[in-house]
Amino acid sequence: MDSINRLENYLRTNFPELNLEPPLFYHSAVGIRFEIGVPYRGIEHPSYFQTVKMRSIMLFEQIFKAVDEICIVVHTYDSLHGFEVMNEGINVLPTFIRNKNIVDHVDCAELEREYDEEGKLQGISYQSCLWCRRDEIDYKRILIAIGYQDFPSFKQPYISDRVYFINPRSHVIYHLYDDRGLDIVSNHPFSIRSLYQKYNNWILDYDRERIENIFKGF
């Protein structure tokens, strides 16, 4: 459990009031919500998923450099109902680990059990965690698969788990929640100010006023 203990200590020290759960942007005092899929859910456009891929990867690579250590956190829900199990998608860890020498470094712990009104177990949530270098995981395929999570009928690899990437050096957390958008949060505006400036036109207009207030004076 070394990886999970390290994660918990890190979050307790640097993000004491933040829970890793969606919507991450609204749970953090400092963050940016980017629009990733444009036009909104415009899946009929041939370039839609190419835009999702381009924006999500470009922002990821602005935050995580090849030499950076990262922490990848995966929240998985295992349902006891057959239909839901069939639609869970690909397991992130260890499927997308490039360096097979670190597969044994993945830690997993139970988060929560869900019961119905009659007290019958419906499913269990788990948290998996891995500390590694950026290029030891196939982050591009992970991001592409998250973009397809709501479209299993497209016959593309997809991920339904919640996946969080943490840069412990810059204290930035990246969460691509689906093809529509991406939350990037930090514990200080300075850490993500360059993203705010460089990719300002990608900011979700619905939250623009709140985001602009965060960066006033920085």
Side-chain angles (χ1 to χ4, degrees):
M1 304 297 289
D2 289 347
S3 292
I4 289 180
N5 289 336
R6 184 181 174 191
L7 169 66
E8 291 175 348
N9 290 333
Y10 171 82
L11 292 175
R12 189 161 47 244
T13 301
N14 298 284
F15 294 90
E17 299 182 5
L18 179 67
N19 291 323
L20 283 184
E21 59 182 24
L24 198 64
F25 171 75
Y26 295 115
H27 294 323
S28 177
V30 178
I32 308 172
R33 174 160 278 200
F34 288 104
E35 187 174 18
I36 297 301
V38 289
Y40 178 82
R41 282 281 158 99
I43 60 175
E44 71 280 359
H45 292 264
S47 62
Y48 178 77
F49 285 105
Q50 287 299 315
T51 301
V52 172
K53 174 183 175 181
M54 180 271 293
R55 290 192 176 191
S56 61
I57 292 176
M58 188 173 294
L59 287 166
F60 186 95
E61 292 179 343
Q62 288 292 308
I63 299 169
F64 304 98
K65 304 305 180 184
V67 297
D68 280 342
E69 180 184 37
I70 72 170
C71 177
I72 176 171
V73 183
V74 182
H75 289 176
T76 303
Y77 179 74
D78 282 351
S79 172
L80 300 183
H81 298 284
F83 174 78
E84 293 183 28
V85 170
M86 290 174 61
N87 287 279
E88 285 179 349
I90 299 172
N91 290 327
V92 178
L93 302 174
T95 305
F96 295 102
I97 298 177
R98 280 176 166 162
N99 180 1
K100 299 307 179 183
N101 293 323
I102 64 171
V103 169
D104 292 341
H105 297 177
V106 177
D107 280 344
C108 183
E110 184 178 311
L111 280 179
E112 184 180 9
R113 293 192 170 211
E114 181 185 13
Y115 296 88
D116 64 15
E117 295 178 353
E118 299 177 352
K120 294 181 180 178
L121 183 63
Q122 300 297 299
I124 305 174
S125 297
Y126 296 92
Q127 176 172 268
S128 300
C129 176
L130 173 68
W131 294 79
C132 62
R133 299 295 173 185
R134 188 196 75 177
D135 290 347
E136 290 183 306
I137 58 169
D138 196 343
Y139 64 89
K140 292 182 180 180
R141 287 179 60 211
I142 294 175
L143 300 179
I144 293 169
I146 293 172
Y148 280 103
Q149 70 174 248
D150 289 339
F151 308 99
S153 62
F154 281 33
K155 307 302 181 184
Q156 295 288 336
Y158 71 96
I159 293 170
S160 56
D161 297 339
R162 297 171 184 167
V163 184
Y164 304 90
F165 298 91
I166 302 172
N167 187 322
R169 175 184 53 81
S170 59
H171 306 308
V172 176
I173 304 176
Y174 173 112
H175 179 225
L176 178 66
Y177 51 86
D178 58 27
D179 60 292
R180 296 170 298 169
L182 160 66
D183 290 340
I184 296 174
V185 304
S186 183
N187 59 5
H188 195 282
F190 181 79
S191 298
I192 54 176
R193 182 181 61 179
S194 62
L195 299 178
Y196 168 75
Q197 295 171 335
K198 187 173 182 178
Y199 300 99
N200 194 276
N201 61 321
W202 292 0
I203 291 175
L204 185 65
D205 284 334
Y206 181 84
D207 295 302
R208 181 173 291 278
E209 183 177 356
R210 172 176 172 162
I211 294 167
E212 289 178 345
N213 287 333
I214 292 172
F215 292 95
K216 281 183 178 179
F218 291 96

